[in-house]
Amino acid sequence: MGPTHAMSGAALWLAGSAVAATAFGIDQTAAELAVGTVACAGAALYPDIDCAGKVTENKGGSTVARSFGVASLMVAEVVERLCYWFYLITKSKKDKKRKNGHRTFTHTALHAGIVGVGAGLLGAYVGKYAVIAILFILTGLAVRGLMGETVRKYGWVVTTGASIALAYGMFHLLDERRSYWIIGLAMGIGCFIHVLGDIITKMGSPLFFPLPIQKKRWFDVGGGHGIKAGGPEETRVLLPALTVLTVLGMIYFLPEVQDFLFDRGPGVGATE
């Protein structure tokens, strides 16, 4: 579901930005909009960092786990084991037995909130340099999700090169005197939309952990009769629809389109 997750993050950020600008007058510069869109797309893949492959053989793992080759596979291995350990010490008697940590803590609303607040604080108090560091990682995840075939052909070099290029560009475009709390909002929303995407699949996700539901602390919301990941409902309906929404969002924010629709000057800016 890599491409679908990434596209859902991009589409949601652009749609939310359009609502914020139209209804509340909260506009973003082109650089801020690009940062938010890429960050949300990358963060919409990030929760699958709990799905590791065979590190020593450079095989398997989720889309995000393979973004930076063996290095990200090793990180995914550590995260999966930590998530599995956390599941074992927190599960109730009613919770099912598991063999790994995939779709546990990183697939909860609590985790999305922690990630969002943490990134927001870094963006607010560290500023531009924290944004560049976060963006380097999230760009790789977004590229891995949106350009899956290209990355599979050329490997981690593509994701790393794109990450370096965008981070370098943002270094010159972003104003270091500003507070970039909005990076936290993008990451939190991206993680949350990932969980919602997994809820509509056959496996579901423990969205409301640690709230007990049916005496289960890790109750999987959704699942059952949901869509098959990578199945026709996703590839022929959901992904194309999200792609169209993303393209429309990009067109909407073109200066010429904004001038035509509203005939107005620049707004206050999201970071002011």
Side-chain angles (χ1 to χ4, degrees):
M1 291 187 70
T4 303
H5 281 312
M7 199 65 73
S8 69
L12 185 61
W13 186 260
L14 289 168
S17 297
V19 172
T22 304
F24 304 103
I26 302 175
D27 294 337
Q28 301 173 70
T29 65
E32 290 168 348
L33 187 63
V35 167
T37 303
V38 172
C40 202
L45 280 164
Y46 158 72
D48 275 344
I49 195 64
D50 66 355
C51 182
K54 298 179 180 179
V55 177
T56 57
E57 299 177 22
N58 193 20
K59 293 181 179 179
S62 62
T63 299
V64 58
R66 298 184 58 80
S67 295
F68 295 99
V70 175
S72 53
L73 281 171
M74 291 179 66
V75 172
E77 179 74 19
V78 172
V79 173
E80 182 178 329
R81 293 190 181 191
L82 287 174
C83 286
Y84 182 52
W85 169 77
F86 185 64
Y87 177 84
L88 291 177
I89 65 172
T90 58
K91 72 182 185 73
S92 68
K93 293 181 179 180
K94 292 288 185 177
D95 284 311
K96 61 185 178 183
K97 292 183 179 180
R98 303 185 65 98
K99 296 181 179 180
N100 55 61
H102 182 43
R103 290 205 187 186
T104 53
F105 184 64
T106 63
H107 287 70
T108 65
L110 175 62
H111 173 264
I114 292 173
V115 168
V117 171
L121 290 174
L122 285 173
Y125 292 103
V126 180
K128 169 182 174 178
Y129 298 98
V131 172
I132 292 171
I134 293 170
L135 195 63
F136 174 85
I137 298 171
L138 295 182
T139 299
L141 307 190
V143 169
R144 186 66 177 84
L146 296 173
M147 301 173 61
E149 292 299 324
T150 301
V151 176
R152 273 190 286 272
K153 184 177 180 180
Y154 296 103
W156 60 268
V157 175
V158 175
T159 55
T160 305
S163 297
I164 292 173
L166 189 59
Y168 178 79
M170 290 302 105
F171 177 81
H172 291 283
L173 289 175
L174 295 180
D175 186 348
E176 64 182 62
R177 296 168 296 179
R178 287 190 173 186
S179 167
Y180 290 95
W181 59 267
I182 201 168
I183 191 73
L185 186 62
M187 284 200 68
I189 290 174
C191 289
F192 188 72
I193 197 66
H194 176 105
V195 179
L196 294 185
D198 281 352
I199 282 175
I200 65 174
T201 66
K202 294 182 181 296
M203 188 175 176
S205 287
L207 176 66
F208 297 114
F209 169 85
L211 298 178
I213 300 176
Q214 296 180 7
K215 297 182 179 181
K216 296 179 181 180
R217 193 168 287 123
W218 293 92
F219 178 83
D220 285 324
V221 179
H225 300 289
I227 68 172
K228 179 181 179 181
E233 297 94 339
E234 179 194 348
T235 58
R236 299 177 187 176
V237 180
L238 189 57
L239 181 57
L242 289 169
T243 302
V244 170
L245 286 175
T246 301
V247 172
L248 289 176
M250 295 168 65
I251 293 173
Y252 175 83
F253 281 105
L254 289 174
E256 295 81 2
V257 175
Q258 290 285 297
D259 291 341
F260 174 77
L261 292 175
F262 303 107
D263 189 24
R264 64 181 184 179
V268 297
T271 57
E272 291 183 356

